[in-house]
Amino acid sequence: MSRLLVTHGHHFGVCYELLERTTLGRSSGCTIQLLDEKVSRRHSSVVRKGDTYTLQDEGSSNGTGLNGRLLLEPAELTPGDEVAVGNNLMLFDPDLEILRDLEGAGSVILAARGGAAVPPPAPISSESPSLQPFRFDALLNGVAEMLSGPRGVGRPAALVEAVTRGMGADNGALLLAPTGGEPMKAVATYPHRGRVTIAREAVHKVLESKTPLLSTEGTVELTVRAGRSLIEAHLGTSIAVPILHGGRIRGVFYADSARRDAFSELPLTSVQSVLTVTFTRMLAGPPQALRPPRATPSHVEPASQSPAMQAVVQQARTWAESTAPLLLIGEPGSGRAFLGSYLHSISPRCEGPFVQVHCGALPEATAESALFGHERGAISGADERHVGLLETADGGTLLLDDIAELGPQLQVRLLRALQEGRFYRVGGTRPVRVDARIVAGTHRDLLGAVRDGLFRDDLFETLSVLRLDVPPLRRRLADIDPLIKQFVADFNRTNGTRLKGFTPESVGLMETHDWPGNVRELREAVNRLIVLTRGKFVEAKDVEEELAAHPSSASYAVDDDVLKRLWEREKRWLSAALDRCRGNKARASHMLGMEPSDLDRLVALHSVDEFGR
């Protein structure tokens, strides 16, 4: 299959797209008619032989251009090549991957209204015999029947037909919302493979207002007479409805009818709701089965009894609706990743993916491929296309923790992706468009890194449009009690234990510690205490022993006494876990939150047998 994308049609002074779906034989071509006086009757051709496509001029009077140069002899085309034919600049794309589903796709032309003025319609009265009130039940039943059938979800042409016929319209089209200055793309039309002409100002009004538009000023049609292309106006009615998802327009559904009363008494709000249910999954991401309502909350509320954390959580809720990048700054272990996940869970993108990556853990040699993906054969060992983390997060949120660890080249690529909303896979020639919110995290002084030339100032400005400073745990000691309760509940649920919790005295002792490792250190300490505790509650004496083995200050002198306490406590910790799990090392490693190989190493180091002795 081949596609010629007309990006500039200067003959009409408008931008439009021409889609052609055709199956090519071993040596055959497809014919595209361009409505342009500078285009010869047989101007140029694209011929396929095997897996190659060749462009050649057919003796045209004005010649054919390829990538800015006059084509003097047949040339092989590659994806992304620019072909100039008359006043039309076309991009060659052989595999049609840009559309999710081209079944029934036709052509959509956005045109300025032209031709003779449409006479004003006669007033419609209830006594008019031609009046046919809009039947909302027909639209609803048609869409419901199609969505419940095997051709429903993910089949644009079938759904466009169901909606168009349910509305009693003559023509219909589903359009992808334009991004990055590109022309609007047609996903499907009705009639199938038909041509639909839409008044450009109608689409622009819908995109600007994000509200449906019903017009009784007539319709427009593109026709060819005596070798000339004309935009003609006719009596009729048209409607354009925006498809919204997450507060953003994902597409527009257009329909028109030659009958001026076709959409009388139209319930615009109800129609938009039906079309949103019908098309939003298709336009916002890969087709998915409709999910039942969740019986429990999809997120865990942050522990925020302290004023410092309450202010952070309140600001996070305010910015959850935004699509702007967000910068999270906080010490290691303070909860940046958790806060990023929380932001995603309460945002309109909560149904989309949440992808988390620690930039410092990306191998330098493969970091670019990991983030942006690669095409087959682009790098050594790339036997197939790889989808990167940024593309995986399409429709959701990408958390880039330790953002300061990104190298200079990746910083440039990330900045361009944020500015343009698109990027290229490694070795790719076609831009990949993504709609992912970027949340960046760091514990470093990015301004200092900018001054030292280690971090781009323009990337810093882009990422820090919104900024949250996550306070360390020593500044929010009031959160220790709810955090302990949350960690105990998590441990019980994961390991099937029934610990009641910590006594008030033990919690008080935990609040005297300054926790240099922040929330991460607190969680590890709670898990160790749970494993070591034999009763229903963690007692104060257990906490005293834990804190004595792990002093508060990060700068303490590591003397022999401290090392001895740590060694003995770690051995008791391993023994208690193996004893609880009756010698099952797989269960014990899971309880301790470590790999089985690490458990084997520690068991051998401390000479602990499989029964915890």
Side-chain angles (χ1 to χ4, degrees):
M1 292 185 282
S2 68
R3 179 172 70 88
L4 292 177
L5 171 60
V6 182
T7 57
H8 295 284
H10 295 296
H11 183 58
F12 295 119
V14 298
C15 292
Y16 63 94
E17 184 180 43
L18 177 63
L19 298 173
E20 180 75 11
R21 185 186 186 193
T22 179
T23 302
L24 302 177
R26 182 171 297 178
S27 178
S28 61
C30 59
T31 301
I32 309 292
Q33 182 184 16
L34 297 176
L35 307 175
D36 189 338
E37 293 176 347
K38 290 188 177 182
V39 177
S40 302
R41 183 177 296 274
R42 182 169 175 80
H43 195 108
S44 56
S45 62
V46 177
V47 179
R48 175 182 177 182
K49 291 185 178 180
D51 293 329
T52 64
Y53 296 83
T54 302
L55 172 70
Q56 61 187 30
D57 188 80
E58 300 291 346
S60 63
S61 57
N62 293 302
T64 301
L66 178 60
N67 295 326
R69 296 184 178 182
L70 186 66
L71 184 68
L72 301 178
E73 59 184 16
E76 183 177 333
L77 290 172
T78 58
D81 279 345
E82 296 181 349
V83 180
V85 178
N87 284 330
N88 304 279
L89 179 63
M90 300 179 286
L91 300 179
F92 178 69
D93 179 4
D95 60 10
L96 294 163
E97 190 188 30
I98 195 169
L99 296 182
R100 301 184 189 283
D101 187 341
L102 273 182
E103 177 189 343
S107 61
V108 169
I109 299 175
L110 298 181
R113 193 179 295 274
V118 180
I124 301 176
S125 68
S126 59
E127 299 177 356
S128 174
S130 63
L131 182 63
Q132 297 291 331
F134 178 78
R135 290 190 57 200
F136 182 71
D137 60 331
L139 170 63
L140 195 60
N141 292 338
V143 170
E145 181 179 357
M146 187 58 64
L147 282 173
S148 63
R151 297 179 62 221
V153 176
R155 293 293 183 181
L159 292 173
V160 168
E161 176 183 356
V163 172
T164 305
R165 296 181 65 176
M167 295 179 67
D170 299 327
N171 302 291
L174 177 63
L175 314 173
L176 281 173
T179 54
E182 292 187 355
M184 183 164 280
K185 299 177 177 65
V187 178
T189 63
Y190 180 79
H192 300 327
R193 301 182 178 88
R195 183 179 66 208
V196 179
T197 309
I198 303 174
R200 183 176 49 183
E201 64 268 23
V203 175
H204 287 176
K205 287 180 181 179
V206 171
L207 294 175
E208 291 174 1
S209 67
K210 296 185 179 181
T211 57
L213 175 66
L214 176 64
S215 174
T216 57
E217 297 179 356
T219 62
V220 291
E221 181 182 5
L222 176 64
T223 61
V224 181
R225 292 183 182 175
R228 296 182 62 86
S229 55
L230 303 170
I231 301 293
E232 294 185 339
H234 303 279
L235 286 171
T237 310
S238 64
I239 182 175
V241 181
I243 310 299
L244 300 173
H245 181 264
R248 174 184 166 191
I249 293 185
R250 303 301 181 130
V252 175
F253 181 82
Y254 171 86
D256 64 38
S257 173
R259 294 185 297 111
R260 60 187 176 87
D261 60 353
F263 308 132
S264 60
E265 301 180 10
L266 182 70
L268 287 178
T269 302
S270 299
V271 169
Q272 185 175 18
S273 299
V274 172
L275 298 188
T276 298
V277 172
T278 305
F279 295 120
T280 189
R281 291 272 180 180
M282 183 190 309
L283 299 178
Q288 304 175 23
L290 294 177
R291 304 173 185 174
R294 291 171 173 162
T296 58
S298 59
H299 60 269
V300 177
E301 286 290 330
S304 55
Q305 289 189 6
S306 65
M309 197 60 186
Q310 285 177 355
V312 170
V313 173
Q314 182 58 44
Q315 191 61 72
R317 290 170 180 162
T318 302
W319 287 341
E321 299 285 333
S322 175
T323 59
L326 173 69
L327 182 61
L328 298 174
I329 299 179
E331 294 180 3
S334 58
R336 297 190 309 265
F338 176 81
L339 195 58
S341 174
Y342 173 72
L343 267 166
H344 170 77
S345 69
I346 62 174
S347 75
R349 300 170 176 270
C350 61
E351 294 290 341
F354 175 74
V355 179
Q356 178 180 343
V357 56
H358 293 275
C359 299
L362 291 174
E364 184 177 354
T366 58
E368 186 177 16
S369 172
L371 277 180
F372 299 98
H374 62 250
E375 297 290 347
R376 179 180 180 182
I379 60 177
S380 177
D383 297 330
E384 58 185 18
R385 171 184 293 164
H386 169 68
V387 175
L389 295 168
L390 181 56
E391 192 173 351
T392 303
D394 187 30
T397 305
L398 174 63
L399 172 62
L400 296 172
D401 209 1
D402 296 327
I403 188 71
E405 305 301 323
L406 279 185
Q409 182 179 357
L410 289 181
Q411 291 180 31
V412 174
R413 291 209 60 183
L414 178 61
L415 177 63
R416 291 193 61 184
L418 288 171
Q419 292 174 337
E420 301 175 7
R422 64 179 182 175
F423 64 92
Y424 292 84
R425 301 188 189 101
V426 177
T429 58
R430 180 186 302 105
V432 178
R433 296 201 167 275
V434 292
D435 173 30
R437 186 182 190 184
I438 303 298
V439 177
T442 184
H443 66 276
R444 291 178 53 184
D445 177 14
L446 284 188
L447 275 177
V450 170
R451 288 192 296 268
D452 296 338
L454 301 177
F455 201 80
R456 293 183 62 93
D457 57 347
D458 46 6
L459 178 57
F460 173 73
E461 291 175 359
T462 301
L463 291 174
S464 59
V465 172
L466 304 177
R467 168 176 168 164
L468 275 177
D469 290 283
V470 186
L473 189 55
R474 62 182 174 275
R475 284 181 46 206
R476 46 186 175 114
L477 296 178
D479 296 335
I480 288 181
D481 186 22
L483 283 170
I484 289 175
K485 292 176 180 177
Q486 179 180 314
F487 297 154
V488 170
D490 291 344
F491 190 94
N492 286 338
R493 182 170 55 253
T494 302
N495 297 285
T497 54
R498 296 181 180 180
L499 185 72
K500 297 290 186 180
F502 283 51
T503 63
E505 295 79 11
S506 62
V507 173
L509 286 173
M510 298 285 275
E511 291 175 344
T512 65
H513 195 70
D514 61 7
W515 303 107
N518 292 295
V519 179
R520 183 186 300 130
E521 183 186 3
L522 175 65
R523 184 183 190 107
E524 292 171 354
V526 169
N527 288 346
R528 283 194 299 269
L529 287 164
I530 293 175
V531 172
L532 290 168
T533 299
R534 305 298 296 180
K536 294 295 184 181
F537 291 91
V538 174
E539 302 289 344
K541 60 181 179 62
D542 300 318
V543 173
E544 288 176 347
E545 188 175 353
E546 171 70 20
L547 297 183
H550 297 81
S552 294
S553 175
S555 59
Y556 62 86
V558 183
D559 56 25
D560 292 340
D561 185 50
V562 170
L563 290 176
K564 183 178 180 180
R565 287 201 303 265
L566 288 172
W567 178 269
E568 292 176 351
R569 191 160 183 82
E570 186 174 63
K571 182 174 182 179
R572 287 182 52 205
W573 181 54
L574 291 170
S575 299
L578 288 168
D579 184 51
R580 281 194 171 202
C581 297
R582 301 181 182 274
N584 189 319
K585 289 185 179 181
R587 287 185 56 196
S589 62
H590 180 73
M591 175 179 287
L592 297 175
M594 63 175 60
E595 295 294 329
S597 57
D598 293 332
L599 176 64
D600 289 336
R601 178 179 56 81
L602 290 176
V603 165
L605 184 65
H606 288 282
S607 300
V608 177
D609 63 28
E610 62 182 10
F611 297 105
R613 296 191 293 269

